[in-house]
Amino acid sequence: MINVAAPADARTGKRPPGIRPPATTRPGAPRPRARRLRPLWFCAPFLALFAAMYVAPIVYAAVSSLFTVHRSGLGLTAPSKVFDPLGNYARALHDGAFTGALGRVALFGVVQVPLMLCLALALALLIDAKSARGKGFFRLAGFLPYAIPGVSAALVWSFMYSSQSSPINRLLAPLGVSVPFFDGHLVLWSVANIVTWSWVGYNMIIIYSALQAIPAEVLEAARMDGASALRVAWSIKVPAIRGALVLTAVFSIIGSAQLFNEPTVLRPVSGGAISSSFTPLMSAQSAVAAGNYPYAAAQSVVLAVLVGVVSFVFLKLTGRGGKA
């Protein structure tokens, strides 16, 4: 049946009530639903790579952690996997080496992260100062250590720390001072020094970029009111870049939990001060080397959950402080 619209009134130009004009659609025009789904096709490559390279390994590790490896006899037969949802997690929480690694990394983050961010903030404020000269050079010089791969940086610092070739101890020798960089109580801070040296410039660039977004009128008004440079930095600049400070803090917390390259490179020259389970990731790697993949997966899941909880609590606390 063909629906023909009634003609409009010649005097008023209106159509009779209840009569709608015929729908006009261009031939081949996309339907509304297809038009809404079109942006998803542009995201499809990213979503596919994200699922394959990020989601799938996480799911595989979580599932693997629910099984335990059983070996029977003299080890002449292949090990078998038995479904034991809590077995690996109970073992991880009672493993002194793994819990010690968690505590060591927690202490590392509590001390190193605030120190590193304070240095990055100080450098960013100095470069952003109105009287600063050579800003481009100092930005590049501060960022340069981050451009050096972590393994290469650790190799250079292993030479600096070596008891036989350390130029630091040679300079201190006339004073009768020798720093035992690989002493059991000092080795963690030797690693922290490398991490701080490598990442201060990266965080400094983020903070400096946030400082550039502060309106110049606000800073000029503060100076006209007689505020000193230190007062402007503390009362105006620092509160204005609070979001950048929180962002760098969360990144640093996550990075501390992933501590692996530096202690692994220093381990052969540490004289036993750095063990195979010095950090949680090194402990998981040792389990992988022993062929116990489910236990390594359980350790990784425990570490991921703890980091997620700490980051969430930190964001909640900083967010509440901002609302107050």
Side-chain angles (χ1 to χ4, degrees):
M1 179 178 180
I2 301 176
N3 186 14
V4 180
D9 189 279
R11 292 174 298 174
T12 63
K14 298 182 179 180
R15 298 181 184 276
I19 304 298
R20 295 183 178 180
T24 58
T25 57
R26 294 180 300 157
R31 297 179 179 179
R33 184 178 179 183
R35 191 182 302 113
R36 289 195 301 267
L37 296 178
R38 180 179 294 176
L40 295 179
W41 290 107
F42 293 96
C43 300
F46 165 77
L47 294 176
L49 289 175
F50 181 79
M53 301 298 176
Y54 190 79
V55 178
I58 291 177
V59 173
Y60 179 76
V63 173
S64 297
S65 66
L66 303 178
F67 295 84
T68 56
V69 176
H70 282 227
R71 293 179 173 86
S72 58
L74 300 176
L76 301 178
T77 59
S80 60
K81 290 184 178 181
V82 179
F83 182 72
D84 187 5
L86 300 178
N88 286 318
Y89 294 100
R91 177 183 174 185
L93 296 178
H94 290 85
D95 187 350
F98 179 66
T99 55
L102 290 175
R104 192 176 296 112
V105 165
L107 177 62
F108 177 91
V110 168
V111 176
Q112 188 269 340
V113 170
L115 178 61
M116 177 180 62
L117 294 183
C118 288
L119 289 174
L121 175 62
L123 290 175
L125 290 173
L126 288 173
I127 296 175
D128 186 63
K130 189 175 182 180
S131 59
R133 298 292 183 267
K135 296 184 178 183
F137 169 78
F138 287 107
R139 285 199 305 267
L140 178 61
F143 185 75
L144 189 59
Y146 173 74
I148 300 175
V151 174
S152 301
L155 287 173
V156 173
W157 279 100
S158 67
F159 168 78
M160 303 284 286
Y161 290 158
S162 175
S163 59
Q164 300 176 353
S165 61
S166 173
I168 300 176
N169 283 333
R170 288 184 180 180
L171 291 174
L172 296 176
L175 302 176
V177 178
S178 178
V179 182
F181 294 104
F182 291 124
D183 182 76
H185 300 288
L186 195 60
V187 66
L188 179 63
W189 311 119
S190 299
V191 175
N193 176 64
I194 302 175
V195 176
T196 303
W197 179 81
S198 300
W199 288 88
V200 162
Y202 172 83
N203 293 291
M204 180 266 293
I205 291 297
I206 296 178
I207 297 173
Y208 179 77
S209 300
L211 288 172
Q212 298 302 296
I214 301 176
E217 297 81 3
V218 176
L219 302 178
E220 189 62 29
R223 296 189 185 99
M224 292 181 64
D225 288 341
S228 63
L230 183 61
R231 183 68 174 177
V232 170
W234 181 252
S235 300
I236 297 179
K237 291 185 177 181
V238 173
I241 60 172
R242 182 175 173 277
L245 294 175
V246 172
L247 176 68
T248 53
V250 172
F251 284 172
S252 300
I253 291 172
I254 298 173
S256 298
Q258 297 175 344
L259 186 64
F260 181 80
N261 289 337
E262 291 81 4
T264 301
V265 173
L266 294 177
R267 184 187 171 196
V269 296
S270 66
I274 298 178
S275 64
S276 60
S277 57
F278 188 76
T279 66
L281 286 185
M282 292 177 68
S283 179
Q285 182 64 31
S286 298
V288 171
N292 197 344
Y293 297 100
Y295 183 52
Q299 291 181 334
S300 302
V301 171
V302 170
L303 178 62
V305 170
L306 290 177
V307 173
V309 170
V310 171
S311 301
F312 178 79
V313 172
F314 178 80
L315 287 173
K316 282 294 184 181
L317 292 177
T318 53
R320 183 179 303 173
K323 293 178 181 178

